[in-house]
Amino acid sequence: MARIAVIGAGMGALAAAARLAVAGHRVAVYERTDTYGGALRRFERDGFSFDTGPALLPLPAVYRDLFVKTGKEPLESCVELVQVDPSSRHVFADGTEVSLPNASRAGVVAALDEGLGAGAGKRWGDFLVRAREAWDRTRRPLLEEPLWPNWQVLAEREPYPSVPHKRLLRTRRAGSLAEVGAWELRDPRLAALLESHALGYGLDPRVAPASAAVLPYMEHAFGTWYVRGGLRELARAVYERCRARRVEFHFGAEVTGVLEKDGRASGVELADGSVPEADFVVAGVAPGILARLTAGTVLRGESEVPPQPATAGRLTLLLALRGPRPADTAHRTVVHAPDREAELEALFGTAAGQRRPTVTVLRPDDPCLAPADHEAVTVTTAVPARPGEPHGDLVDHMITAAERAVPGLRDRILWHEARTPGDTADETGAEGGAVPVPALAAAGGRLLHPSNGTRMPGLFTVGGWAHPGGGLPHAGMSGALVAGLIVEGPEFRGSQ
């Protein structure tokens, strides 16, 4: 039985802790804040309750596997999973609208043909077929296996089978997600639909590789799910599973250093001066924090893997509304920006200026979230990851955009709370309040993440800033990979 110290109580760290504990190891988690869950936090006021991080769960099979592997109670015995249908409603700049059914290719094709015109559904359906090919090519190396030592293969090879396109007397293939939209979908509304999946992760579709097509494919193939009571309930369930497996938790325990003895990790040093010893250390923190904890850089391959591009943060408005939620309301509505190029330049470029943002409006059908005859609504948009930046004008623009999804919104607001990247930085420690993106192939390796193993034997990284990157499913996968590497050793090659 090994002693294992886990730094942080984010979802990846919790997933690793539960798996390691059930394998017979003694696991202790040290979390600098007063609670668990990382970005999966909850804000409560006046009987209203809001998720302040992720609010929907793609690919729930990752957490079903975690619960199966760590105990007899399945995930559905611990939380109530609800499939969101329609998966999303989209309000485009020209006023057209479309609602997309959950996990139904035929239904999506029919809805797009009806809402956007004949042929739109077929073009999107054909795109999903190509996106599935990219998914099949990258699923194992990017999600289910430790990062390959020859990661350059993933960096150089574009797995998305772009359609040949004649342009300026040359035959070209789309290399970015924006080019896929322009050249293959050939409809600005379909392009906006595609690019909204990149924006949801803070990715610039103009430079995101075509392999980012796997993001809408995941949602289409595996559905979109909600946890009754909010996604914070998923964090609670994983935390309670850890406690049931006798994982020790120390909250308000800030780790200030990783101990090293005889060339390998040997424990952690805490701010109070105590030095718990360990045979392995699992760090669920961002790379900059880990570098400080180790008095240097220990991430394997960091000197060779190109640095990741700056990622965006999220501005989230929590709206307490008077009046009940109409029965036919979509859970999620994406209101697209009126000027796509201006939106992208304001978010990712160097030019300053007012933004008219793409916003996502979340209106769960969940009486647990608000008093009777009231409604809890969340509105989110991507913003630069710069804590302290004023967002007053942007908040007003977000409310204006959200009124296209919630008629009469301003008159219904009792109060609102804005959550900025600064709040994210305080809660997760992520530099600038940035949100980590999922690992993606191609793009020269810019969207790969550091390996779960490090140059210091016995020290591993887990969570959104490690392989395979950001997002709730990816966090759960990273926990499985780290547990496999510790239990089975460096020969571990992922689940079969």
PDB file of all heavy atoms in Angstrom, residues 140-173:
ATOM      1  N   ARG A 140      -8.469   7.161 -29.012  1.00  0.00           N
ATOM      2  CA  ARG A 140      -7.567   6.457 -28.096  1.00  0.00           C
ATOM      3  C   ARG A 140      -6.323   7.282 -27.764  1.00  0.00           C
ATOM      4  O   ARG A 140      -6.013   7.479 -26.579  1.00  0.00           O
ATOM      5  CB  ARG A 140      -7.184   5.084 -28.652  1.00  0.00           C
ATOM      6  CG  ARG A 140      -8.276   4.034 -28.436  1.00  0.00           C
ATOM      7  CD  ARG A 140      -7.725   2.613 -28.554  1.00  0.00           C
ATOM      8  NE  ARG A 140      -6.712   2.324 -27.545  1.00  0.00           N
ATOM      9  CZ  ARG A 140      -6.982   1.987 -26.282  1.00  0.00           C
ATOM     10  NH1 ARG A 140      -8.242   1.919 -25.865  1.00  0.00           N
ATOM     11  NH2 ARG A 140      -6.005   1.744 -25.435  1.00  0.00           N
ATOM     12  N   PRO A 141      -5.567   7.768 -28.740  1.00  0.00           N
ATOM     13  CA  PRO A 141      -4.333   8.477 -28.357  1.00  0.00           C
ATOM     14  C   PRO A 141      -4.570   9.783 -27.611  1.00  0.00           C
ATOM     15  O   PRO A 141      -3.717  10.195 -26.816  1.00  0.00           O
ATOM     16  CB  PRO A 141      -3.641   8.723 -29.702  1.00  0.00           C
ATOM     17  CG  PRO A 141      -4.728   8.662 -30.723  1.00  0.00           C
ATOM     18  CD  PRO A 141      -5.688   7.637 -30.207  1.00  0.00           C
ATOM     19  N   LEU A 142      -5.699  10.424 -27.840  1.00  0.00           N
ATOM     20  CA  LEU A 142      -5.931  11.711 -27.190  1.00  0.00           C
ATOM     21  C   LEU A 142      -6.727  11.607 -25.891  1.00  0.00           C
ATOM     22  O   LEU A 142      -6.653  12.518 -25.061  1.00  0.00           O
ATOM     23  CB  LEU A 142      -6.664  12.662 -28.144  1.00  0.00           C
ATOM     24  CG  LEU A 142      -5.807  13.318 -29.229  1.00  0.00           C
ATOM     25  CD1 LEU A 142      -6.646  14.264 -30.062  1.00  0.00           C
ATOM     26  CD2 LEU A 142      -4.631  14.058 -28.626  1.00  0.00           C
ATOM     27  N   LEU A 143      -7.480  10.532 -25.700  1.00  0.00           N
ATOM     28  CA  LEU A 143      -8.372  10.468 -24.550  1.00  0.00           C
ATOM     29  C   LEU A 143      -8.160   9.247 -23.667  1.00  0.00           C
ATOM     30  O   LEU A 143      -8.413   9.316 -22.463  1.00  0.00           O
ATOM     31  CB  LEU A 143      -9.835  10.484 -25.019  1.00  0.00           C
ATOM     32  CG  LEU A 143     -10.285  11.705 -25.824  1.00  0.00           C
ATOM     33  CD1 LEU A 143     -11.745  11.554 -26.220  1.00  0.00           C
ATOM     34  CD2 LEU A 143     -10.074  12.981 -25.034  1.00  0.00           C
ATOM     35  N   GLU A 144      -7.735   8.143 -24.226  1.00  0.00           N
ATOM     36  CA  GLU A 144      -7.748   6.891 -23.471  1.00  0.00           C
ATOM     37  C   GLU A 144      -6.359   6.333 -23.190  1.00  0.00           C
ATOM     38  O   GLU A 144      -6.241   5.329 -22.494  1.00  0.00           O
ATOM     39  CB  GLU A 144      -8.576   5.846 -24.224  1.00  0.00           C
ATOM     40  CG  GLU A 144     -10.039   6.260 -24.385  1.00  0.00           C
ATOM     41  CD  GLU A 144     -10.838   5.268 -25.206  1.00  0.00           C
ATOM     42  OE1 GLU A 144     -10.225   4.298 -25.715  1.00  0.00           O
ATOM     43  OE2 GLU A 144     -12.047   5.457 -25.341  1.00  0.00           O
ATOM     44  N   GLU A 145      -5.328   6.954 -23.714  1.00  0.00           N
ATOM     45  CA  GLU A 145      -3.961   6.489 -23.507  1.00  0.00           C
ATOM     46  C   GLU A 145      -3.102   7.620 -22.959  1.00  0.00           C
ATOM     47  O   GLU A 145      -3.368   8.791 -23.244  1.00  0.00           O
ATOM     48  CB  GLU A 145      -3.354   5.989 -24.823  1.00  0.00           C
ATOM     49  CG  GLU A 145      -4.084   4.824 -25.447  1.00  0.00           C
ATOM     50  CD  GLU A 145      -3.487   4.430 -26.786  1.00  0.00           C
ATOM     51  OE1 GLU A 145      -2.629   5.178 -27.309  1.00  0.00           O
ATOM     52  OE2 GLU A 145      -3.878   3.380 -27.308  1.00  0.00           O
ATOM     53  N   PRO A 146      -2.036   7.280 -22.199  1.00  0.00           N
ATOM     54  CA  PRO A 146      -1.075   8.323 -21.838  1.00  0.00           C
ATOM     55  C   PRO A 146      -0.497   8.962 -23.101  1.00  0.00           C
ATOM     56  O   PRO A 146      -0.461   8.335 -24.165  1.00  0.00           O
ATOM     57  CB  PRO A 146      -0.001   7.555 -21.057  1.00  0.00           C
ATOM     58  CG  PRO A 146      -0.697   6.327 -20.552  1.00  0.00           C
ATOM     59  CD  PRO A 146      -1.694   5.968 -21.613  1.00  0.00           C
ATOM     60  N   LEU A 147      -0.079  10.211 -22.986  1.00  0.00           N
ATOM     61  CA  LEU A 147       0.451  10.918 -24.146  1.00  0.00           C
ATOM     62  C   LEU A 147       1.641  10.158 -24.723  1.00  0.00           C
ATOM     63  O   LEU A 147       2.568   9.779 -24.011  1.00  0.00           O
ATOM     64  CB  LEU A 147       0.893  12.325 -23.747  1.00  0.00           C
ATOM     65  CG  LEU A 147       1.348  13.234 -24.891  1.00  0.00           C
ATOM     66  CD1 LEU A 147       0.188  13.531 -25.842  1.00  0.00           C
ATOM     67  CD2 LEU A 147       1.927  14.527 -24.333  1.00  0.00           C
ATOM     68  N   TRP A 148       1.594   9.932 -26.031  1.00  0.00           N
ATOM     69  CA  TRP A 148       2.656   9.185 -26.690  1.00  0.00           C
ATOM     70  C   TRP A 148       4.002   9.898 -26.553  1.00  0.00           C
ATOM     71  O   TRP A 148       4.079  11.128 -26.676  1.00  0.00           O
ATOM     72  CB  TRP A 148       2.350   9.037 -28.182  1.00  0.00           C
ATOM     73  CG  TRP A 148       1.186   8.145 -28.488  1.00  0.00           C
ATOM     74  CD1 TRP A 148       0.502   7.346 -27.638  1.00  0.00           C
ATOM     75  CD2 TRP A 148       0.581   7.995 -29.765  1.00  0.00           C
ATOM     76  NE1 TRP A 148      -0.501   6.690 -28.293  1.00  0.00           N
ATOM     77  CE2 TRP A 148      -0.476   7.066 -29.605  1.00  0.00           C
ATOM     78  CE3 TRP A 148       0.810   8.544 -31.029  1.00  0.00           C
ATOM     79  CZ2 TRP A 148      -1.285   6.678 -30.663  1.00  0.00           C
ATOM     80  CZ3 TRP A 148       0.006   8.160 -32.084  1.00  0.00           C
ATOM     81  CH2 TRP A 148      -1.028   7.224 -31.906  1.00  0.00           C
ATOM     82  N   PRO A 149       5.100   9.142 -26.342  1.00  0.00           N
ATOM     83  CA  PRO A 149       6.430   9.775 -26.368  1.00  0.00           C
ATOM     84  C   PRO A 149       6.712  10.455 -27.713  1.00  0.00           C
ATOM     85  O   PRO A 149       7.331  11.512 -27.761  1.00  0.00           O
ATOM     86  CB  PRO A 149       7.381   8.603 -26.115  1.00  0.00           C
ATOM     87  CG  PRO A 149       6.550   7.595 -25.383  1.00  0.00           C
ATOM     88  CD  PRO A 149       5.175   7.725 -25.967  1.00  0.00           C
ATOM     89  N   ASN A 150       6.214   9.852 -28.798  1.00  0.00           N
ATOM     90  CA  ASN A 150       6.365  10.485 -30.120  1.00  0.00           C
ATOM     91  C   ASN A 150       5.114  11.300 -30.439  1.00  0.00           C
ATOM     92  O   ASN A 150       4.466  11.110 -31.461  1.00  0.00           O
ATOM     93  CB  ASN A 150       6.630   9.431 -31.200  1.00  0.00           C
ATOM     94  CG  ASN A 150       5.505   8.414 -31.315  1.00  0.00           C
ATOM     95  OD1 ASN A 150       4.784   8.182 -30.352  1.00  0.00           O
ATOM     96  ND2 ASN A 150       5.352   7.827 -32.494  1.00  0.00           N
ATOM     97  N   TRP A 151       4.799  12.245 -29.544  1.00  0.00           N
ATOM     98  CA  TRP A 151       3.593  13.058 -29.677  1.00  0.00           C
ATOM     99  C   TRP A 151       3.584  13.846 -30.986  1.00  0.00           C
ATOM    100  O   TRP A 151       2.526  14.313 -31.423  1.00  0.00           O
ATOM    101  CB  TRP A 151       3.484  14.023 -28.502  1.00  0.00           C
ATOM    102  CG  TRP A 151       4.679  14.919 -28.354  1.00  0.00           C
ATOM    103  CD1 TRP A 151       5.762  14.698 -27.563  1.00  0.00           C
ATOM    104  CD2 TRP A 151       4.923  16.139 -29.050  1.00  0.00           C
ATOM    105  NE1 TRP A 151       6.671  15.705 -27.710  1.00  0.00           N
ATOM    106  CE2 TRP A 151       6.184  16.614 -28.618  1.00  0.00           C
ATOM    107  CE3 TRP A 151       4.215  16.877 -29.983  1.00  0.00           C
ATOM    108  CZ2 TRP A 151       6.741  17.786 -29.101  1.00  0.00           C
ATOM    109  CZ3 TRP A 151       4.767  18.055 -30.468  1.00  0.00           C
ATOM    110  CH2 TRP A 151       6.019  18.508 -30.026  1.00  0.00           C
ATOM    111  N   GLN A 152       4.764  13.998 -31.636  1.00  0.00           N
ATOM    112  CA  GLN A 152       4.815  14.764 -32.883  1.00  0.00           C
ATOM    113  C   GLN A 152       3.898  14.187 -33.950  1.00  0.00           C
ATOM    114  O   GLN A 152       3.421  14.909 -34.829  1.00  0.00           O
ATOM    115  CB  GLN A 152       6.256  14.827 -33.400  1.00  0.00           C
ATOM    116  CG  GLN A 152       7.200  15.634 -32.523  1.00  0.00           C
ATOM    117  CD  GLN A 152       7.844  14.800 -31.428  1.00  0.00           C
ATOM    118  OE1 GLN A 152       7.425  13.668 -31.153  1.00  0.00           O
ATOM    119  NE2 GLN A 152       8.851  15.352 -30.767  1.00  0.00           N
ATOM    120  N   VAL A 153       3.643  12.877 -33.878  1.00  0.00           N
ATOM    121  CA  VAL A 153       2.721  12.264 -34.834  1.00  0.00           C
ATOM    122  C   VAL A 153       1.333  12.895 -34.699  1.00  0.00           C
ATOM    123  O   VAL A 153       0.669  13.189 -35.703  1.00  0.00           O
ATOM    124  CB  VAL A 153       2.647  10.744 -34.615  1.00  0.00           C
ATOM    125  CG1 VAL A 153       1.613  10.114 -35.541  1.00  0.00           C
ATOM    126  CG2 VAL A 153       4.000  10.106 -34.843  1.00  0.00           C
ATOM    127  N   LEU A 154       0.904  13.115 -33.469  1.00  0.00           N
ATOM    128  CA  LEU A 154      -0.388  13.757 -33.245  1.00  0.00           C
ATOM    129  C   LEU A 154      -0.345  15.229 -33.628  1.00  0.00           C
ATOM    130  O   LEU A 154      -1.361  15.800 -34.039  1.00  0.00           O
ATOM    131  CB  LEU A 154      -0.780  13.630 -31.768  1.00  0.00           C
ATOM    132  CG  LEU A 154      -0.965  12.214 -31.225  1.00  0.00           C
ATOM    133  CD1 LEU A 154      -1.193  12.256 -29.725  1.00  0.00           C
ATOM    134  CD2 LEU A 154      -2.128  11.532 -31.915  1.00  0.00           C
ATOM    135  N   ALA A 155       0.807  15.854 -33.486  1.00  0.00           N
ATOM    136  CA  ALA A 155       0.921  17.281 -33.760  1.00  0.00           C
ATOM    137  C   ALA A 155       0.886  17.582 -35.250  1.00  0.00           C
ATOM    138  O   ALA A 155       0.357  18.611 -35.677  1.00  0.00           O
ATOM    139  CB  ALA A 155       2.223  17.818 -33.159  1.00  0.00           C
ATOM    140  N   GLU A 156       1.445  16.704 -36.048  1.00  0.00           N
ATOM    141  CA  GLU A 156       1.626  16.988 -37.470  1.00  0.00           C
ATOM    142  C   GLU A 156       0.483  16.464 -38.329  1.00  0.00           C
ATOM    143  O   GLU A 156       0.225  16.996 -39.403  1.00  0.00           O
ATOM    144  CB  GLU A 156       2.949  16.376 -37.936  1.00  0.00           C
ATOM    145  CG  GLU A 156       4.173  16.974 -37.229  1.00  0.00           C
ATOM    146  CD  GLU A 156       5.424  16.153 -37.438  1.00  0.00           C
ATOM    147  OE1 GLU A 156       5.328  15.110 -38.121  1.00  0.00           O
ATOM    148  OE2 GLU A 156       6.477  16.542 -36.896  1.00  0.00           O
ATOM    149  N   ARG A 157      -0.193  15.441 -37.881  1.00  0.00           N
ATOM    150  CA  ARG A 157      -1.191  14.787 -38.725  1.00  0.00           C
ATOM    151  C   ARG A 157      -2.580  15.339 -38.427  1.00  0.00           C
ATOM    152  O   ARG A 157      -3.058  15.275 -37.305  1.00  0.00           O
ATOM    153  CB  ARG A 157      -1.159  13.271 -38.501  1.00  0.00           C
ATOM    154  CG  ARG A 157      -2.114  12.481 -39.389  1.00  0.00           C
ATOM    155  CD  ARG A 157      -1.962  10.998 -39.133  1.00  0.00           C
ATOM    156  NE  ARG A 157      -0.602  10.554 -39.418  1.00  0.00           N
ATOM    157  CZ  ARG A 157      -0.127   9.355 -39.092  1.00  0.00           C
ATOM    158  NH1 ARG A 157      -0.909   8.507 -38.432  1.00  0.00           N
ATOM    159  NH2 ARG A 157       1.101   9.025 -39.398  1.00  0.00           N
ATOM    160  N   GLU A 158      -3.243  15.891 -39.449  1.00  0.00           N
ATOM    161  CA  GLU A 158      -4.611  16.388 -39.313  1.00  0.00           C
ATOM    162  C   GLU A 158      -5.578  15.234 -39.555  1.00  0.00           C
ATOM    163  O   GLU A 158      -5.653  14.716 -40.670  1.00  0.00           O
ATOM    164  CB  GLU A 158      -4.866  17.518 -40.301  1.00  0.00           C
ATOM    165  CG  GLU A 158      -6.306  17.988 -40.372  1.00  0.00           C
ATOM    166  CD  GLU A 158      -6.857  18.451 -39.028  1.00  0.00           C
ATOM    167  OE1 GLU A 158      -6.454  19.534 -38.566  1.00  0.00           O
ATOM    168  OE2 GLU A 158      -7.679  17.706 -38.450  1.00  0.00           O
ATOM    169  N   PRO A 159      -6.318  14.812 -38.530  1.00  0.00           N
ATOM    170  CA  PRO A 159      -7.182  13.636 -38.684  1.00  0.00           C
ATOM    171  C   PRO A 159      -8.503  13.921 -39.377  1.00  0.00           C
ATOM    172  O   PRO A 159      -9.201  12.985 -39.767  1.00  0.00           O
ATOM    173  CB  PRO A 159      -7.417  13.193 -37.241  1.00  0.00           C
ATOM    174  CG  PRO A 159      -7.341  14.466 -36.457  1.00  0.00           C
ATOM    175  CD  PRO A 159      -6.298  15.305 -37.136  1.00  0.00           C
ATOM    176  N   TYR A 160      -8.869  15.192 -39.512  1.00  0.00           N
ATOM    177  CA  TYR A 160     -10.153  15.508 -40.135  1.00  0.00           C
ATOM    178  C   TYR A 160     -10.025  15.417 -41.653  1.00  0.00           C
ATOM    179  O   TYR A 160      -9.171  16.077 -42.258  1.00  0.00           O
ATOM    180  CB  TYR A 160     -10.603  16.913 -39.741  1.00  0.00           C
ATOM    181  CG  TYR A 160     -11.910  17.328 -40.401  1.00  0.00           C
ATOM    182  CD1 TYR A 160     -13.124  16.850 -39.927  1.00  0.00           C
ATOM    183  CD2 TYR A 160     -11.913  18.166 -41.513  1.00  0.00           C
ATOM    184  CE1 TYR A 160     -14.315  17.213 -40.535  1.00  0.00           C
ATOM    185  CE2 TYR A 160     -13.100  18.538 -42.122  1.00  0.00           C
ATOM    186  CZ  TYR A 160     -14.298  18.056 -41.632  1.00  0.00           C
ATOM    187  OH  TYR A 160     -15.483  18.407 -42.237  1.00  0.00           O
ATOM    188  N   PRO A 161     -10.863  14.608 -42.309  1.00  0.00           N
ATOM    189  CA  PRO A 161     -10.764  14.413 -43.765  1.00  0.00           C
ATOM    190  C   PRO A 161     -11.446  15.541 -44.533  1.00  0.00           C
ATOM    191  O   PRO A 161     -12.586  15.411 -44.982  1.00  0.00           O
ATOM    192  CB  PRO A 161     -11.462  13.071 -43.976  1.00  0.00           C
ATOM    193  CG  PRO A 161     -12.492  13.014 -42.889  1.00  0.00           C
ATOM    194  CD  PRO A 161     -11.896  13.738 -41.702  1.00  0.00           C
ATOM    195  N   SER A 162     -10.763  16.653 -44.672  1.00  0.00           N
ATOM    196  CA  SER A 162     -11.347  17.812 -45.336  1.00  0.00           C
ATOM    197  C   SER A 162     -11.703  17.510 -46.787  1.00  0.00           C
ATOM    198  O   SER A 162     -11.030  16.734 -47.470  1.00  0.00           O
ATOM    199  CB  SER A 162     -10.377  18.993 -45.299  1.00  0.00           C
ATOM    200  OG  SER A 162     -10.097  19.370 -43.977  1.00  0.00           O
ATOM    201  N   VAL A 163     -12.757  18.170 -47.250  1.00  0.00           N
ATOM    202  CA  VAL A 163     -13.198  18.018 -48.638  1.00  0.00           C
ATOM    203  C   VAL A 163     -12.338  18.911 -49.526  1.00  0.00           C
ATOM    204  O   VAL A 163     -12.108  20.082 -49.202  1.00  0.00           O
ATOM    205  CB  VAL A 163     -14.683  18.415 -48.768  1.00  0.00           C
ATOM    206  CG1 VAL A 163     -15.129  18.376 -50.227  1.00  0.00           C
ATOM    207  CG2 VAL A 163     -15.547  17.498 -47.913  1.00  0.00           C
ATOM    208  N   PRO A 164     -11.825  18.404 -50.652  1.00  0.00           N
ATOM    209  CA  PRO A 164     -11.041  19.257 -51.561  1.00  0.00           C
ATOM    210  C   PRO A 164     -11.868  20.464 -52.018  1.00  0.00           C
ATOM    211  O   PRO A 164     -13.059  20.347 -52.304  1.00  0.00           O
ATOM    212  CB  PRO A 164     -10.711  18.325 -52.733  1.00  0.00           C
ATOM    213  CG  PRO A 164     -10.830  16.944 -52.179  1.00  0.00           C
ATOM    214  CD  PRO A 164     -11.904  17.016 -51.138  1.00  0.00           C
ATOM    215  N   HIS A 165     -11.218  21.612 -52.073  1.00  0.00           N
ATOM    216  CA  HIS A 165     -11.915  22.855 -52.401  1.00  0.00           C
ATOM    217  C   HIS A 165     -11.052  23.655 -53.363  1.00  0.00           C
ATOM    218  O   HIS A 165      -9.877  23.917 -53.087  1.00  0.00           O
ATOM    219  CB  HIS A 165     -12.159  23.656 -51.112  1.00  0.00           C
ATOM    220  CG  HIS A 165     -12.739  25.015 -51.329  1.00  0.00           C
ATOM    221  ND1 HIS A 165     -14.073  25.219 -51.585  1.00  0.00           N
ATOM    222  CD2 HIS A 165     -12.167  26.246 -51.328  1.00  0.00           C
ATOM    223  CE1 HIS A 165     -14.294  26.516 -51.726  1.00  0.00           C
ATOM    224  NE2 HIS A 165     -13.146  27.155 -51.572  1.00  0.00           N
ATOM    225  N   LYS A 166     -11.608  24.028 -54.491  1.00  0.00           N
ATOM    226  CA  LYS A 166     -10.859  24.821 -55.465  1.00  0.00           C
ATOM    227  C   LYS A 166     -10.935  26.287 -55.077  1.00  0.00           C
ATOM    228  O   LYS A 166     -12.006  26.865 -54.938  1.00  0.00           O
ATOM    229  CB  LYS A 166     -11.425  24.607 -56.868  1.00  0.00           C
ATOM    230  CG  LYS A 166     -11.076  23.248 -57.458  1.00  0.00           C
ATOM    231  CD  LYS A 166     -11.448  23.155 -58.923  1.00  0.00           C
ATOM    232  CE  LYS A 166     -11.001  21.815 -59.496  1.00  0.00           C
ATOM    233  NZ  LYS A 166     -11.341  21.701 -60.938  1.00  0.00           N
ATOM    234  N   ARG A 167      -9.748  26.882 -54.911  1.00  0.00           N
ATOM    235  CA  ARG A 167      -9.668  28.272 -54.487  1.00  0.00           C
ATOM    236  C   ARG A 167      -8.446  28.915 -55.143  1.00  0.00           C
ATOM    237  O   ARG A 167      -7.329  28.421 -55.021  1.00  0.00           O
ATOM    238  CB  ARG A 167      -9.577  28.341 -52.963  1.00  0.00           C
ATOM    239  CG  ARG A 167      -9.604  29.753 -52.400  1.00  0.00           C
ATOM    240  CD  ARG A 167      -9.577  29.672 -50.885  1.00  0.00           C
ATOM    241  NE  ARG A 167      -9.546  30.980 -50.254  1.00  0.00           N
ATOM    242  CZ  ARG A 167     -10.611  31.704 -49.982  1.00  0.00           C
ATOM    243  NH1 ARG A 167     -11.816  31.233 -50.291  1.00  0.00           N
ATOM    244  NH2 ARG A 167     -10.502  32.881 -49.400  1.00  0.00           N
ATOM    245  N   LEU A 168      -8.681  29.994 -55.860  1.00  0.00           N
ATOM    246  CA  LEU A 168      -7.601  30.701 -56.553  1.00  0.00           C
ATOM    247  C   LEU A 168      -6.790  29.751 -57.430  1.00  0.00           C
ATOM    248  O   LEU A 168      -5.565  29.710 -57.393  1.00  0.00           O
ATOM    249  CB  LEU A 168      -6.690  31.397 -55.532  1.00  0.00           C
ATOM    250  CG  LEU A 168      -7.363  32.459 -54.648  1.00  0.00           C
ATOM    251  CD1 LEU A 168      -6.358  33.043 -53.659  1.00  0.00           C
ATOM    252  CD2 LEU A 168      -7.986  33.545 -55.492  1.00  0.00           C
ATOM    253  N   LEU A 169      -7.524  28.979 -58.218  1.00  0.00           N
ATOM    254  CA  LEU A 169      -6.936  28.054 -59.193  1.00  0.00           C
ATOM    255  C   LEU A 169      -6.120  26.942 -58.532  1.00  0.00           C
ATOM    256  O   LEU A 169      -5.363  26.246 -59.204  1.00  0.00           O
ATOM    257  CB  LEU A 169      -6.055  28.811 -60.197  1.00  0.00           C
ATOM    258  CG  LEU A 169      -6.757  29.941 -60.974  1.00  0.00           C
ATOM    259  CD1 LEU A 169      -5.778  30.613 -61.908  1.00  0.00           C
ATOM    260  CD2 LEU A 169      -7.963  29.407 -61.727  1.00  0.00           C
ATOM    261  N   ARG A 170      -6.285  26.777 -57.235  1.00  0.00           N
ATOM    262  CA  ARG A 170      -5.597  25.688 -56.536  1.00  0.00           C
ATOM    263  C   ARG A 170      -6.612  24.865 -55.767  1.00  0.00           C
ATOM    264  O   ARG A 170      -7.650  25.355 -55.352  1.00  0.00           O
ATOM    265  CB  ARG A 170      -4.557  26.235 -55.553  1.00  0.00           C
ATOM    266  CG  ARG A 170      -3.361  26.900 -56.218  1.00  0.00           C
ATOM    267  CD  ARG A 170      -2.312  27.217 -55.171  1.00  0.00           C
ATOM    268  NE  ARG A 170      -2.828  28.114 -54.141  1.00  0.00           N
ATOM    269  CZ  ARG A 170      -2.230  28.317 -52.966  1.00  0.00           C
ATOM    270  NH1 ARG A 170      -1.133  27.651 -52.658  1.00  0.00           N
ATOM    271  NH2 ARG A 170      -2.747  29.157 -52.091  1.00  0.00           N
ATOM    272  N   THR A 171      -6.300  23.597 -55.587  1.00  0.00           N
ATOM    273  CA  THR A 171      -7.129  22.730 -54.766  1.00  0.00           C
ATOM    274  C   THR A 171      -6.587  22.749 -53.351  1.00  0.00           C
ATOM    275  O   THR A 171      -5.425  22.422 -53.117  1.00  0.00           O
ATOM    276  CB  THR A 171      -7.148  21.292 -55.316  1.00  0.00           C
ATOM    277  OG1 THR A 171      -7.695  21.302 -56.629  1.00  0.00           O
ATOM    278  CG2 THR A 171      -7.983  20.393 -54.422  1.00  0.00           C
ATOM    279  N   ARG A 172      -7.431  23.160 -52.418  1.00  0.00           N
ATOM    280  CA  ARG A 172      -7.013  23.263 -51.032  1.00  0.00           C
ATOM    281  C   ARG A 172      -7.963  22.471 -50.142  1.00  0.00           C
ATOM    282  O   ARG A 172      -9.073  22.139 -50.545  1.00  0.00           O
ATOM    283  CB  ARG A 172      -6.992  24.735 -50.596  1.00  0.00           C
ATOM    284  CG  ARG A 172      -6.059  25.612 -51.408  1.00  0.00           C
ATOM    285  CD  ARG A 172      -6.091  27.036 -50.930  1.00  0.00           C
ATOM    286  NE  ARG A 172      -5.666  27.141 -49.529  1.00  0.00           N
ATOM    287  CZ  ARG A 172      -5.679  28.282 -48.833  1.00  0.00           C
ATOM    288  NH1 ARG A 172      -6.121  29.387 -49.410  1.00  0.00           N
ATOM    289  NH2 ARG A 172      -5.275  28.301 -47.574  1.00  0.00           N
ATOM    290  N   ARG A 173      -7.506  22.180 -48.937  1.00  0.00           N
ATOM    291  CA  ARG A 173      -8.326  21.512 -47.941  1.00  0.00           C
ATOM    292  C   ARG A 173      -8.366  22.379 -46.685  1.00  0.00           C
ATOM    293  O   ARG A 173      -7.387  23.049 -46.357  1.00  0.00           O
ATOM    294  CB  ARG A 173      -7.766  20.122 -47.596  1.00  0.00           C
ATOM    295  CG  ARG A 173      -7.836  19.139 -48.755  1.00  0.00           C
ATOM    296  CD  ARG A 173      -7.217  17.799 -48.364  1.00  0.00           C
ATOM    297  NE  ARG A 173      -7.248  16.855 -49.469  1.00  0.00           N
ATOM    298  CZ  ARG A 173      -8.245  16.023 -49.716  1.00  0.00           C
ATOM    299  NH1 ARG A 173      -9.307  16.015 -48.923  1.00  0.00           N
ATOM    300  NH2 ARG A 173      -8.196  15.191 -50.730  1.00  0.00           N
TER     301      ARG A 173
END
